[in-house]
Every structure is written in structure tokens, then in C-alpha cells.
Amino acid sequence: MFIPFFLELKAARVPVSLREYLSLLEGLEAGLVEYDVEGFYYLARAALVKDERHIDRFDQVFAHVFEGLDAVTGEGGIDAANLPEEWLRRLAEKHLTEDEKKLVEALGGFDKLMETLKQRLEEQKGRHQGGSKWIGTAGTSPFGAYGYNPEGVRIGQDESRHRRAVKVWDKREFRNFDDSVELGTRNIKVALKRLRRWVREGAAEELDLPGTIHATAEHGYLDVQTRPERRNAVKLLMFFDVGGSMDDHIKIVEELFSAARAEFRQLEYFYFHNCLYEGVWKDNRRRHAEVIPTFDVLHRYGPDYKAIFVGDASMSPYEIAHPGGSVEHWNAEAGAVWLQRALQQWPSTIWLNPGAERLWPYTHSISMIREIFGDRMFPLTLTGLEAATKALSRKH
């Protein structure tokens, strides 16, 4: 019965293997969960999902394949004999139409409805599906899930065909982890961790536990050893396109900048508009008064730095290919010349584009920038940023 589930996960591009499927069956055979759909959900997720990026797609497939399956009682389930009155009341419908409120009175009102629910929970000994009395699924009892009764109290189901509420897998709490969505600060931090290169530097102030154990065993007395603290040795330069069409991407670029500052101790940043030219700046409010010559940046930061350009690359092709093409000033040399200089100085350089990747082919300037960067342009999605960090990590 689980083969369709396995096949639908594959169809949804959740990378599950036969080995993981057999592990799930072994868990079921060992009795890790019995008559508990929520327990089965967690077991299946633990066995079949290797990366949090795929949890949201797993949840959607699970909801589709096992729609209507639920358990109210059983090992690890609800203790029917000790249901608190407050809990029962919270299970009641929060928004009823006038007709539905009238139908609730068919059981003697809310208090009588709660009393009957508790009594049936105490009487019921197992899971039930269909029917008109017992608590279960797909029936017309006033209690349960995935059935229909206008006087009903739903258990184990927060949202259904009648639009009321959801189970764990329907909440889709991991939708923001999906590798096709734009990033938030937390996800950016996770992706940027791939750029870490740990070294020990500075004073020997951190406790060296393995060294202490070894020295104590060797000398016969407590011999505390210390060592320099581990630090991320990666040096990073970031160049941000500002103004114009980049105003549409302010939020995601701010999140990227915030995450990068948190992850990299050796981070320098600069701003430019549309394309790199002979000057950059660090304060947008004084961009015309405090311009930093690009040559100074090229000479100050060595080839051991990694560089990230962030921009939508949407501009007139003249701004890239011709002197005087800039829309803000007269540039004596084409933007492409300055980009080539940056690539020569910092071989580990990529371009991050916050614009929708599906639209890139329709903008000529994006194709030009991609060509200059040797196709090292990546979208600001989880997949894109992970590919970008891999590219930056390669030796050039």
C-alpha cells in the first residue's frame, strides 16, 4: 500500500531511494508506530527525507496520498478518559453560520455536544472510519475528520473539504525551506556556511579538551592545554547594485547583506549602479561626494578574497559594452573592461541575480553579464545560492 506513496514522492522530485523505503517498512514491521497516523508521518519523514529543503514537498505528497487517514486513540494517542473540558471546547467550530448554529442545538446545545463527545471517546475502543456514530473519518458522526456533519466537532483535522483546520503535514511549516523559493535571512546563513574555512589563529585562549586529556594522561596530573580559537578564514568582497530596478529587490538584498555580515568576520562591501565603473562607494547618501576609485579597491584587496556581485543585470547593453554608456556619468572605459579587471584580480567571483531566473533570457544585458562571468550567475534562491557557494569554493 505504500508503493504509490513512494512513487508520488519520486514524481514530486523528493530524492527517495529504495533503501530508504525499505527502512520505512522495517520501522513499521518493528512496531515503531501502530494505528497512529501522526506517528507514521514522523517515521516516514525521518526515513525518507534527507534534507529540510524537501520537507514541504513531502508534506504535500503525504497529505494527498493519505487524505482522510487519521487516528484518534491508540498507543501514543489521546487519553480519552481524561479529556479536559477546556480542550474539548477548543475543538468546537470557531466560525459557524446561523444555520449551523441552529443545527448544533439538535444535540441540545454546545454543552450537550461536548458531553456526548467525551462519552463516546470513553466508549470507543479503536479507530473507526465511516458511519454515523463513532469518532473517526469519512463518516457523518458529529465528531471526527474528513466526513460531514454540520453539528460536528472535528478531531485530528484542521482543514478539509469543508475548510476548517489542518494536521501537522497540512500546516506546511517548512514551505520556506523549499529550494525553489526565495531566501530569508536564516536560509541565507545556512547556505553561506558552505563558504567557511576554519583556521586557528590568535592567542591560545580556547580550552583544548583532547590535548588536555592526552597531556594529563601522559604527565599523571591535570595539565590544562589551550589553543587558538577557530575562525572563519574566508575573506569576502560584496558589490551591490543600487537604485533603479534594484529597488524591487531591496528586502532580499538586505537579508543577504545581514546574513553575510553575521557569517564573515572579514567582509568588505561597496555599492555601484548597474555596472562596475571607475568608482564605487560605501554610503549611498554620499555616493557622489565620497567616491572610492575602483583601482584602489583592486589594489587593496588581494586575490585571496572571494567576490560577490549582486544585481539584476538589467540595463542598456551600452552600459556594459561602450565608453560613455553609463546613465549617470561619462565613463571613459566600458563597464565590461572593469568587470574583466575584477575577475582577473579575484578569480573566485560570482554574480547573484535577485530577478526571476525564468525571465533572464529576455534581457540582453543579463546574457552579456553571464558571458563575462563565464556563466557564473546564480539566482537568489536556496538552490542558486548553494550553487554559487560551490563555485566560490572551487580553486581557480
Side-chain angles (χ1 to χ4, degrees):
M1 67 175 290
F2 298 117
I3 291 178
F5 178 42
F6 176 73
L7 295 177
E8 289 211 26
L9 286 173
K10 299 276 287 184
R13 294 184 297 110
V14 178
V16 292
S17 67
L18 183 59
R19 181 186 297 273
E20 291 154 352
Y21 176 68
L22 293 176
S23 296
L24 171 62
L25 297 184
E26 288 174 4
L28 292 172
E29 189 173 334
L32 297 182
V33 292
E34 292 182 354
Y35 312 113
D36 179 1
V37 68
E38 187 169 313
F40 170 69
Y41 162 78
Y42 284 115
L43 174 63
R45 197 178 83 178
L48 301 175
V49 181
K50 300 184 288 290
D51 194 308
E52 65 186 8
R53 292 175 300 171
H54 307 127
I55 292 179
D56 183 54
R57 273 175 271 170
F58 173 87
D59 287 352
Q60 294 179 68
V61 172
F62 190 96
H64 171 68
V65 173
F66 298 106
E67 182 179 7
L69 179 64
D70 199 10
V72 176
T73 60
E75 185 174 326
I78 300 170
D79 182 2
N82 297 294
L83 286 174
E85 180 69 21
E86 182 183 355
W87 185 85
L88 293 175
R89 286 181 177 274
R90 283 201 301 268
L91 288 175
E93 297 286 358
K94 294 182 178 179
H95 305 285
L96 299 176
T97 67
E98 290 302 318
D99 289 340
E100 288 172 332
K101 290 177 182 178
K102 290 177 182 178
L103 287 170
V104 167
E105 298 301 320
L107 282 180
F110 177 81
D111 291 336
K112 180 63 176 177
L113 184 67
M114 294 296 99
E115 181 183 340
T116 304
L117 166 62
K118 187 171 183 179
Q119 179 183 351
R120 291 189 187 175
L121 277 172
E122 291 170 348
E123 294 174 358
Q124 183 170 331
K125 302 301 181 184
R127 180 179 180 276
H128 180 73
Q129 179 165 336
S132 60
K133 177 181 180 181
W134 293 121
I135 300 160
T137 61
T140 56
S141 164
F143 315 105
Y146 294 101
Y148 181 74
N149 188 304
E151 323 164 4
V153 176
R154 290 178 176 82
I155 296 179
Q157 171 195 1
D158 294 350
E159 182 174 59
S160 70
R161 293 171 300 177
H162 310 301
R163 311 303 299 171
R164 292 291 191 263
V166 218
K167 306 182 191 66
V168 174
W169 47 91
D170 283 331
K171 291 179 182 177
R172 297 185 60 196
E173 294 177 340
F174 290 86
R175 71 181 67 195
N176 289 333
F177 291 87
D178 194 299
D179 58 9
S180 63
V181 301
E182 290 186 347
L183 295 168
T185 302
R186 180 196 176 279
N187 288 340
I188 295 173
K189 287 182 179 180
V190 171
L192 289 178
K193 290 181 189 297
R194 295 177 180 270
L195 277 179
R196 285 179 171 178
R197 180 168 58 84
W198 295 108
V199 296
R200 296 193 179 277
E201 59 183 19
E205 298 175 345
E206 181 182 89
L207 174 65
D208 182 0
L209 184 57
T212 298
I213 294 172
H214 178 77
T216 299
E218 183 178 354
H219 300 144
Y221 57 86
L222 180 60
D223 189 358
V224 177
Q225 301 291 310
T226 59
R227 60 188 176 183
E229 183 181 355
R230 286 202 321 161
R231 301 179 187 274
N232 184 8
V234 170
K235 301 175 181 179
L236 186 63
L237 287 170
M238 299 192 77
F239 296 86
F240 295 96
D241 180 9
V242 293
S245 57
M246 282 299 294
D247 289 345
D248 297 335
H249 309 292
I250 288 176
K251 182 177 182 295
I252 187 63
V253 173
E254 285 180 343
E255 290 174 347
L256 173 66
F257 183 46
S258 174
R261 293 192 71 171
E263 290 298 320
F264 298 95
R265 186 170 59 93
Q266 301 184 80
L267 169 67
E268 294 291 341
Y269 66 93
F270 302 92
Y271 297 108
F272 67 96
H273 180 60
N274 283 354
C275 194
L276 184 66
Y277 297 113
E278 66 277 5
V280 293
W281 56 93
K282 299 202 71 156
D283 185 345
N284 283 306
R285 293 169 299 181
R286 301 185 60 80
R287 57 183 292 185
H288 299 294
E290 298 179 358
V291 176
I292 302 169
T294 305
F295 268 129
D296 287 358
V297 179
L298 291 167
H299 294 154
R300 184 180 306 166
Y301 302 102
D304 55 334
Y305 273 83
K306 299 180 185 298
I308 298 177
F309 284 78
V310 183
D312 60 9
S314 298
M315 66 195 89
S316 166
Y318 292 101
E319 296 184 67
I320 302 171
H322 295 279
S326 171
V327 295
E328 289 198 326
H329 72 292
W330 174 265
N331 54 299
E333 294 179 291
V337 173
W338 288 102
L339 290 176
Q340 291 288 0
R341 286 173 178 153
L343 289 166
Q344 290 169 7
Q345 175 66 3
W346 306 300
S348 293
T349 299
I350 57 97
W351 186 292
L352 289 176
N353 191 330
E357 187 176 10
R358 69 181 186 279
L359 302 178
W360 291 1
Y362 303 104
T363 302
H364 183 49
S365 59
I366 294 179
S367 299
M368 295 173 68
I369 296 291
R370 290 183 72 179
E371 183 178 354
I372 292 171
F373 274 71
D375 210 32
R376 296 198 302 274
M377 178 183 285
F378 305 93
L380 260 179
T381 61
L382 188 56
T383 299
L385 192 51
E386 286 184 350
T389 55
K390 287 180 182 178
L392 285 173
S393 299
R394 297 191 193 106
K395 293 183 179 180
H396 295 274

